[in-house]
Amino acid sequence: MNDNYISLKKLSKVYTDKVGYRINLLQDISLEIDKKEFISILAPAGSGKTSLLKLLAGLIEPTSGSIESNIKRKPFIPSLPSSFPWLSVKENVSFYSELNETRIDEIIDLVGLHGYENHFPHDRSEGFRFRISLGRALAINPGIIIIDEPFNNLNTDTRKEIYSLVRSVFEEKSIPFIFGTTNITEAIYLSDKIHLMKKNPGQIFDSLPNNIVGNRNLDIIESKDFFDMRERIENRFKDRADRTLYNFSI
Amino acid sequence: MSKIIQKSGNATVVLSFISIISFIYIILLEFIIPANKILPKPSILLESIPSLFNDYNFLSAFLFTLSAIYSITVISYFLVRIGSYLLIKIIDLFPGLIKLFVMGKYFIPLFFIFLFQLWFGNSIWGEYLFALIMIMGILKESVAVQLENVKGEYIDSANSLGLDKSGIIKNVVWKSIQPKIFHSLRSNHILIWSYILVYEYVCVTSGIGAIYRTALEYNDLSLVILLIFITIITFIVMEFAFENIKKKYFFWN
């Protein structure tokens, strides 16, 4: 086991809705994250993926089961833009960070915001705002970065840019990433390992190592290995009734 | 049409509107129907200006009313800000208070005006205290309502970055609701003016409201119209000031 780890054991989350009906959102989820890997949790919408990621980030408590972790800083990037609109790019990235100005500038450069330090995000695109959130997460020296399907509202070209950005940040910084998504293409492109999750109740039913090896560039999306991997995943979901994944080509 | 209005800017539209109304007023009442019982001639209105300053001490009254409205607004803002943590906690415990704040905005001032007249008479401190209570009430209502609309993404992000609860309230929750609070102050601007003018009218303090009362007691129609005109112009100027403050300090939404 590495220095940094998160271990989930038989984790369950039950919600009670407004009329008192108990919803078994997550059930018996066990997961070990102990390598500097890019891990995706691929699941249909409404399967409790966001709740699972929030549990991992320590934002909510499980109903039963245990979470063990020695990671203190686990920044969570939600699906909707979370950069603070009242702060400039630089103020956002350095928010609650202990890094000096030079390091902050390096992070701003890394996420592709060099030259925009004094811009404000309130009227910018979601891609721009995601870059800020990623920079802010990097600036607190995280033990892991948790991302919850942030690409839903991006256009195809921006998605391509952001995929490359996220993967290159992962490779440069060697920080483990956990990424929740409903999209098979982005799960395969970005991840080293993919956990497949079903819904009602949310459970991880399979885990696949990604067989895409070598340098990641967007050309691999057209490769045979990529298609094979996609077919493997689709076949796993085909065996289940809840094959409702959103799929697209870039 | 609306695009043309947006392009030309609010200031131009409002000034054009006032110019047209003034032009119609001058032509109609100075030359076409000078003798009527509805509105005084513009020339009489102009003749009333020296009287307003000499007999009614208008400048002092005007500054007093402005200070009661705007300096107390600034003080109220900082008081609500200082007490925001406590306010958020209380609203968290008693969410029903939001409805009380919203409803109370309209009828509570009436009770306060009558009580304050008995307690403070025409004391200026009574008016300042009244303004403070009313404006803080509006701000509290706004904070209470806006707290329900704070984006969960901001709180989750801040929480995961390691901020504690008071840090989140101070750096995220309070900041994120600023434009809405400011907007609420703007939308209640006319209400605040009304509270203060009515208070001054009833309690006969040193402000513009008291001059309205005296002018009405003497049936001085031209003075009343002049006061209405000055009140509207002041209100509009302050609206433009609000717009510029918003652009500079509360630009996100």
Side-chain angles (χ1 to χ4, degrees):
Chain A
M1 196 172 272
N2 267 1
D3 290 346
N4 289 339
Y5 72 94
I6 302 178
S7 170
L8 310 187
K9 282 180 187 148
K10 291 205 155 275
L11 207 70
S12 295
K13 182 73 185 170
V14 177
Y15 276 111
T16 306
D17 68 10
K18 284 178 183 173
V19 289
Y21 186 74
R22 282 166 65 84
I23 299 162
N24 219 2
L25 193 62
L26 300 171
Q27 194 174 56
D28 290 340
I29 291 186
S30 295
L31 198 63
E32 296 283 339
I33 298 159
D34 58 359
K35 289 179 189 164
K36 285 175 180 169
E37 285 182 317
F38 199 116
I39 294 169
S40 280
I41 294 168
L42 182 63
S47 55
K49 191 168 57 270
T50 300
S51 295
L52 176 57
L53 295 174
K54 283 187 177 180
L55 282 165
L56 283 164
L59 297 174
I60 54 173
E61 293 292 321
T63 308
S64 65
S66 68
I67 305 173
E68 287 175 25
S69 173
N70 64 348
I71 303 173
K72 282 185 180 168
R73 293 175 170 179
K74 295 177 276 185
F76 172 74
I77 303 178
S79 54
L80 292 169
S82 62
S83 55
F84 301 137
W86 55 91
L87 299 178
S88 68
V89 167
K90 193 163 186 169
E91 288 165 340
N92 257 293
V93 173
S94 56
F95 183 82
Y96 214 64
S97 169
E98 290 161 357
L99 300 184
N100 63 31
E101 198 168 335
T102 315
R103 298 284 309 280
I104 294 290
D105 288 339
E106 282 170 12
I107 288 170
I108 289 174
D109 205 21
L110 179 67
V111 295
L113 293 173
H114 177 68
Y116 295 96
E117 288 86 347
N118 298 319
H119 288 226
F120 284 85
H122 66 287
D123 55 358
R124 292 307 185 123
S125 67
E126 292 207 9
F128 188 92
R129 298 183 74 173
F130 175 76
R131 285 171 192 269
I132 297 174
S133 299
L134 184 60
R136 192 173 61 194
L138 290 167
I140 60 160
N141 276 334
I144 192 167
I145 293 179
I146 300 166
I147 308 179
D148 183 20
E149 47 181 340
F151 310 137
N152 287 353
N153 300 322
L154 303 182
N155 64 42
T156 309
D157 287 340
T158 313
R159 273 183 192 230
K160 285 180 188 174
E161 282 175 25
I162 300 290
Y163 288 173
S164 300
L165 170 74
V166 171
R167 186 68 202 184
S168 66
V169 167
F170 166 71
E171 282 166 6
E172 187 169 331
K173 291 285 181 184
S174 287
I175 299 165
F177 274 65
I178 302 181
F179 176 70
T181 183
T182 54
N183 186 299
I184 296 179
T185 304
E186 60 192 34
I188 301 172
Y189 177 75
L190 290 167
S191 318
D192 299 312
K193 189 190 268 183
I194 302 169
H195 294 292
L196 308 182
M197 194 172 162
K198 70 170 201 66
K199 65 179 183 180
N200 295 329
Q203 278 180 322
I204 290 175
F205 66 88
D206 207 346
S207 298
L208 304 171
N210 196 343
N211 59 6
I212 307 289
V213 289
N215 193 20
R216 302 281 169 109
N217 57 53
L218 289 163
D219 294 336
I220 63 162
I221 291 171
E222 303 299 326
S223 70
K224 185 178 179 306
D225 284 347
F226 200 93
F227 279 114
D228 289 346
M229 187 71 200
R230 177 133 93 187
E231 205 175 339
R232 273 179 70 196
I233 292 171
E234 282 181 340
N235 285 336
R236 302 290 168 108
F237 275 102
K238 254 182 206 170
D239 299 336
R240 315 198 70 90
D242 52 3
R243 188 178 167 255
T244 51
L245 283 175
Y246 170 57
N247 207 351
F248 79 108
S249 296
I250 63 167
Chain B
M1 185 64 184
S2 63
K3 278 186 181 173
I4 296 168
I5 291 170
Q6 277 174 5
K7 272 188 180 176
S8 55
N10 287 337
T12 320
V13 173
V14 172
L15 289 174
S16 308
F17 180 73
I18 290 172
S19 306
I20 292 167
I21 294 289
S22 304
F23 180 74
I24 293 169
Y25 172 62
I26 292 165
I27 297 296
L28 196 69
L29 293 161
E30 192 69 41
F31 304 109
I32 301 173
I33 42 168
N36 71 85
K37 286 185 179 177
I38 301 165
L39 288 170
K41 278 168 61 177
S43 54
I44 295 176
L45 219 56
L46 289 174
E47 284 164 16
S48 300
I49 293 174
S51 159
L52 187 66
F53 282 90
N54 298 329
D55 304 336
Y56 292 92
N57 202 9
F58 174 74
L59 194 63
S60 154
F62 182 68
L63 292 175
F64 176 73
T65 301
L66 287 190
S67 74
I69 294 172
Y70 297 107
S71 62
I72 298 297
T73 299
V74 173
I75 292 167
S76 304
Y77 172 83
F78 284 107
L79 286 176
V80 170
R81 183 177 181 163
I82 290 165
S84 61
Y85 186 77
L86 188 65
L87 181 66
I88 289 165
K89 282 279 199 188
I90 291 170
I91 289 162
D92 210 24
L93 286 172
F94 308 105
L97 277 179
I98 297 173
K99 278 184 185 167
L100 191 69
F101 284 148
V102 174
M103 286 190 304
K105 180 168 88 172
Y106 298 103
F107 66 85
I108 286 176
L110 288 173
F111 296 110
F112 272 101
I113 287 172
F114 296 127
L115 281 175
F116 272 48
Q117 191 192 19
L118 293 170
W119 290 341
F120 298 101
N122 60 359
S123 158
I124 57 168
W125 300 111
E127 182 169 339
Y128 281 136
L129 188 62
F130 172 77
L132 189 73
I133 291 169
M134 290 304 110
I135 298 170
M136 275 186 71
I138 287 170
L139 283 170
K140 276 182 189 170
E141 178 230 333
S142 169
V143 171
V145 171
Q146 293 312 322
L147 281 178
E148 293 191 325
N149 303 322
V150 175
K151 288 186 177 176
E153 301 86 68
Y154 296 158
I155 295 170
D156 284 340
S157 296
N159 202 350
S160 74
L161 291 173
L163 269 79
D164 59 13
K165 198 165 183 178
S166 67
I168 291 172
I169 289 173
K170 186 182 160 197
N171 298 307
V172 179
V173 174
W174 180 254
K175 282 281 181 186
S176 75
I177 63 176
Q178 291 302 289
K180 301 278 184 186
I181 292 175
F182 188 74
H183 177 76
S184 147
L185 264 182
R186 273 192 78 179
S187 53
N188 285 300
H189 189 194
I190 198 158
L191 194 67
I192 296 169
W193 264 90
S194 311
Y195 288 161
I196 299 301
L197 290 181
V198 171
Y199 183 90
E200 289 173 347
Y201 185 91
V202 173
C203 299
V204 202
T205 58
S206 318
I208 302 175
I211 302 182
Y212 271 105
R213 184 171 173 143
T214 315
L216 282 170
E217 279 170 0
Y218 288 104
N219 284 326
D220 193 343
L221 180 63
S222 58
L223 199 66
V224 172
I225 298 296
L226 193 62
L227 280 172
I228 290 172
F229 189 71
I230 292 170
T231 308
I232 290 170
I233 294 291
T234 310
F235 181 80
I236 290 169
V237 167
M238 293 314 294
E239 275 289 300
F240 288 135
F242 272 138
E243 184 62 34
N244 286 317
I245 292 169
K246 187 194 166 196
K247 277 181 190 164
K248 190 158 186 184
Y249 298 106
F250 306 105
F251 50 86
W252 72 94
N253 204 342

